[in-house]
Amino acid sequence: MRLPRGSDLSGLRLQASARSAAFWLFVAPFLIGLLIFNYIPIGWSAYLSFFDAQGTVTPDTFVGLSNYADMLTGPFAQSLLTFSVFALFIVPLTFALALGLAVAVNRIRFARTFFRSVFFLPTACSYVVAAMVWKLSLFSGVRFGLANTVLDWFGQDPVAWLSNPDPPWYWVVLVTARLWLQVGFYMILFIAGLQRIPDSLYEAAFVDGAKPGWQVFRHVTFPQLRPTSIAVLLLSLIAAYQAFDEFYNLLGTARGYPDFGRPPLVYLYYLALGQTQDYGHGSAGALILALLIALVTLAQGRLLGFGRQEA
Amino acid sequence: MRGYSRRGFLGMAGGVTAAGLLAACGSNTGRGGGSGGDTIEQWYHAYGETGVQQAVERYAKAYDKGTVHVQWNPGDYDSKIASALAASSGPDVFESTLRVDMVRSKQIVSLDDLLGDARSDFTESVLASHTVDGQVYGIPQAVDMQMLFYRKSLLQKAGLQPPRSVDELIDAAHKLTTGKVKGLFLGNDGGVGVLAGPALWSAGLDYLTPDNKVGFDDPLAAESVGKLRTLFTSNSLLLGAPADWSDPSAFTQGLTAMQWTGLWTVPAVQKALGDDFGVLPWPALNGAGKASVPFGAYGSMVNAKSKKIDAAKAYVKWLWIERGDYQQDFDLSYGFHIPARKSLAAKADKLKSGPAADAVRFVQDLGKPSNPPPWTAKMQLALSDSLNKIVRSGGNATTELKNTVTQVQDELKRLNG
C-alpha cells in the first residue's frame, strides 16, 4: 500500500481505528443478535442433548449418548425416513412445476403481470388459512366436501381424506396444499432468472440453427438458469425437511397428532415443547435433523456439482 | 422466503431457543417492577363462554389484601403453562390439570393446608385428580365431562334401545347408518384422541393401577381397542366432519345419529333438537368392565418459583375456598359446568333435570379422571401413537400395546425410581 503524501503513521492509525469502530458499530448489532439468538441456543441445545433435561434447561443428570440412541430407534427415526421420501418426491415436483409455470408465464404476451400475480398470490396466504380451506372445504370427509362432490358425480363413495390412512389419501391433501402454497414463490425466482438471460444468446442459438422449443430450452435456457435452479433445489429441500405448519393444521387435532405423516418438527414439538417438555430428547432430535439436512444438502450439491465454478 | 428464516431457526436451534422465546413471551406480563407491591399474577386459559373473563377480573378486583393482575391466554394454554413453569417467568397463580412431573420437578407447591373444613365438601374423585402422594396441589374450580349423545327419534325409528354394551353400540351404529346419516361420530380421528380412557375402563382396566404400574398390560385391552378398529372400518363412523367431536354441529345438523361430545354442548343441542336426544356413558365391554365417563377439572395452583408464595396461597384460599358465591357464579352463570363443591352442585337448578342431571349422576357413579396425575404427557404420546396404529392403520393390537407398555414402564421408572 502506498502512503498518501503528507500522512504520518499516527494519523493512519487513527483513521484505521475510526474505520474499525465504524465496522463494529454496523456489524455488532447483527453479530450480537446472531450470537444470542442462534449460536448460544445451538450450543446450549447441544449441551442439553447429553442430559436428562425434562422440565428444566439447567439439568444435572448426564446421560451420554442415550438421548441420541432413543431418538434414532423411536418414532423420530420413522419421521426422518418418511420425510426423506417426501423430500425425494416433493423437491423434483416443485422444481418441475415452478419451472414450467415460469417458462409459460414468461412466454405469454398478454396479461403477463396478471398471470404472474395469480400464481404468486398463494405464497402470501397464511399456511394455517390454506390448511383450513383444504381441510374444511376442499377435502372434508363428508359428502358435501368439494373433492367428494366430484367423486359423487362419478358414482364414487365419499373418501375420509385425512381421517383414514389406508389407503394413504392424506398425502394427496398434503402435497396439493404444499404445492399450491410454494410453487408460486419458486416460480418468481425462475422468472427473475429467465429475465436475466441475454437475448443475444437466443439470437446466437437461432443463427446456429437451434430449433426453437425444446432444443433452445435444453441448451440455452436451462444451463443459464443454473444459479436459480440451485437456489430452488436447496430451499425446497430444506423446506421439505422443516415442514410443519400445514401438516400440523391438516392432520393434528386438539388431542394430538397421528403417527403417520408426522414431520420431524411436529414430533419434536410434541416431545419438547408441549406438556412433555423433554428438552434432552428434543435437542438430540433437533441436532440429528440439522445434521441430516446438512448431509443431504451436501450430497445433493456433490451430485449436481453445485460447488463447481460456472463456465 | 416465507417461513424460511423462522423455521430454519427453529430447526437448527431446537427446543431451547423456542423455550427461550416462549419464556420471553411469558415474562412480558405487564406486572410492572416485580418487587414493587404485592401484585399477584394470575393466568387463565381462554374460556369460550361470554362473560367469564369479565367475571374473573371482577373477582380479582374484589380481593382487598393485594392487587391481582389477570392474564387471559388464548391458544395452546397447557403447553404455554408447561413452558412458563420450566422457565422462571411463570405466573404466581394459574389454573391447570395436575401432572405428576410438575410435582417431581418441584414446579408447584402443596395447597393441602388451605383446605381445612372445606375438604369434605369437594367431590372425592375430583379432589383425587388434584392429589399426588396424598398432597393436594390444585383447588378444583369446575368439572367438565364427556358422554355419548344419541337422537331418540332415530333410534326409535330403527327399533333400537340405547346401547348398553360396546357390541350393542357397534350394532346400533351400523343400523343407524343410512345414505346421508352416519351412525356414530367419535371425532375425525375415529375416537383415538378421546376414547383411550373409556376403551380401557370399559374392559375393567385403567391407564395405571393404584400402585403405579401399567394398568393395561392385559389381553382385554387389545380386545377393547380392537372394537374401535371394528367401528373405524365398519363404514358407520362419521369421519372428516367440518367440526370435530368437541363441537355439537355434526350431531345437531343431522350428519350423525350418535356423537361422543361433552356436557358443554347440552345448551346448543337442546336449542337445536329440543327433547329429541339422550345421553349415555361409554358402555362396558363385557362382564369384566364398567360403563364410564371421563371428567376433567382445572384446579387453581401456585407456582413454586413465585416470589410471593404465601400471598398467592392466601389469594387461592380466598377465591376458591372461602368465596363460594364467586365459585357458584363461575361454574353456573356462563357455561355449563358441574361445580367441584358438593354444596354448590346441589344448588344448581340447571343440573337437576334431563340430560344434565344424567351427566351429574354419571360423574358421581362412573366418573374417571381424563388426565390422572400420574399419567404423563409422554405416556399419552406413546399410547396415542399405538392407538393410531391399531385403530386407523390396522396394526396388530397386541404387539402395539405391548410396545406401549414397555415405554410407559420406562417413564414410570424415570419418575418414581
Side-chain angles (χ1 to χ4, degrees), chain A residues 164-166 259-260, chain B residues 229 232 387-395:
Chain A
N164 194 345
D166 182 30
D259 67 305
F260 53 84
Chain B
R229 173 66 183 168
F232 193 80
L387 287 191
N388 268 302
K389 287 197 177 93
I390 297 164
V391 176
R392 295 170 82 180
S393 307

Side-chain angles (χ1 to χ4, degrees), chain A residues 37-38 54 141 163 262 278, chain B residues 9 188 240 378 385 392 414:
Chain A
F37 292 110
N38 279 15
Q54 193 154 342
S163 295
R262 179 165 58 190
D278 186 349
Chain B
F9 182 61
N188 285 329
K378 204 172 211 176
D385 271 12
R392 295 170 82 180
R414 191 186 70 79

Side-chain angles (χ1 to χ4, degrees), chain B residues 210-254:
Chain B
D211 56 344
N212 254 344
K213 301 224 165 41
V214 181
F216 53 91
D217 190 3
D218 191 302
L220 277 178
E223 185 185 335
S224 190
V225 173
K227 299 289 182 190
L228 291 180
R229 173 66 183 168
T230 309
L231 272 170
F232 193 80
T233 51
S234 66
N235 205 28
S236 44
L237 275 197
L238 176 65
L239 293 168
D244 216 343
W245 68 275
S246 58
D247 186 299
S249 308
F251 187 60
T252 54
Q253 291 169 5

Side-chain angles (χ1 to χ4, degrees), chain A residues 27-298:
Chain A
V27 169
F30 175 72
L31 208 63
I32 291 170
L34 199 68
L35 202 69
I36 293 180
F37 292 110
N38 279 15
Y39 293 130
I40 292 179
I42 291 173
W44 198 356
S45 182
Y47 168 77
L48 285 177
S49 70
F50 297 107
F51 285 84
D52 174 9
Q54 193 154 342
T56 172
V57 287
T58 49
D60 42 24
T61 320
F62 183 76
V63 294
L65 289 173
S66 89
N67 286 339
Y68 287 91
D70 290 348
M71 293 308 280
L72 287 173
T73 50
F76 187 65
Q78 180 60 47
S79 285
L80 290 179
L81 185 71
T82 309
F83 277 76
S84 295
V85 177
F86 173 68
L88 214 61
F89 180 71
I90 196 87
V91 171
L93 194 63
T94 310
F95 185 90
L97 274 174
L99 181 59
L101 272 180
V103 171
V105 168
N106 205 41
R107 193 165 262 235
I108 46 173
R109 292 275 162 257
F110 64 98
R112 195 195 280 185
T113 322
F114 169 75
F115 283 109
R116 207 186 291 164
S117 313
V118 162
F119 290 121
F120 181 69
L121 267 180
T123 306
C125 177
S126 145
Y127 275 44
V128 179
V129 171
M132 288 300 139
V133 171
W134 251 248
K135 182 180 185 164
L136 300 181
S137 81
L138 300 185
F139 290 98
S140 125
V142 288
R143 70 202 128 75
F144 48 76
L146 184 70
N148 283 337
T149 309
V150 174
L151 285 182
D152 190 47
W153 294 340
F154 298 100
Q156 302 295 312
D157 284 337
V159 170
W161 297 95
L162 290 163
S163 295
N164 194 345
D166 182 30
W169 290 119
Y170 60 93
W171 281 116
V172 174
V173 186
L174 293 165
V175 167
T176 49
R178 172 154 280 240
L179 287 176
W180 185 80
L181 281 160
Q182 294 194 342
V183 162
F185 169 68
Y186 297 117
M187 178 199 75
I188 288 289
L189 294 189
F190 274 125
I191 288 180
L194 284 172
Q195 290 175 347
R196 248 178 30 133
I197 304 175
D199 282 344
S200 56
L201 283 181
Y202 289 105
E203 287 155 13
F206 181 72
V207 172
D208 287 345
K211 289 191 203 84
W214 175 245
Q215 216 173 16
V216 168
F217 177 79
R218 163 83 181 72
H219 293 285
V220 179
T221 313
F222 194 60
Q224 286 292 318
L225 281 176
R226 193 182 154 78
T228 314
S229 304
I230 291 171
V232 169
L233 284 177
L234 280 181
L235 291 179
S236 58
L237 181 80
I238 293 173
Y241 274 110
Q242 297 191 342
F244 186 94
D245 309 32
E246 79 276 35
F247 283 79
Y248 181 78
N249 286 291
L250 281 167
L251 281 176
T253 67
R255 292 292 174 132
Y257 194 96
D259 67 305
F260 53 84
R262 179 165 58 190
L265 284 186
V266 170
Y267 183 72
L268 290 182
Y269 171 79
Y270 280 102
L271 189 66
L273 299 181
Q275 291 183 51
T276 314
Q277 301 284 312
D278 186 349
Y279 299 127
H281 283 98
S283 299
L287 289 175
I288 292 172
L289 178 65
L291 202 66
L292 181 71
I293 293 177
L295 282 179
V296 173
T297 311
L298 285 178

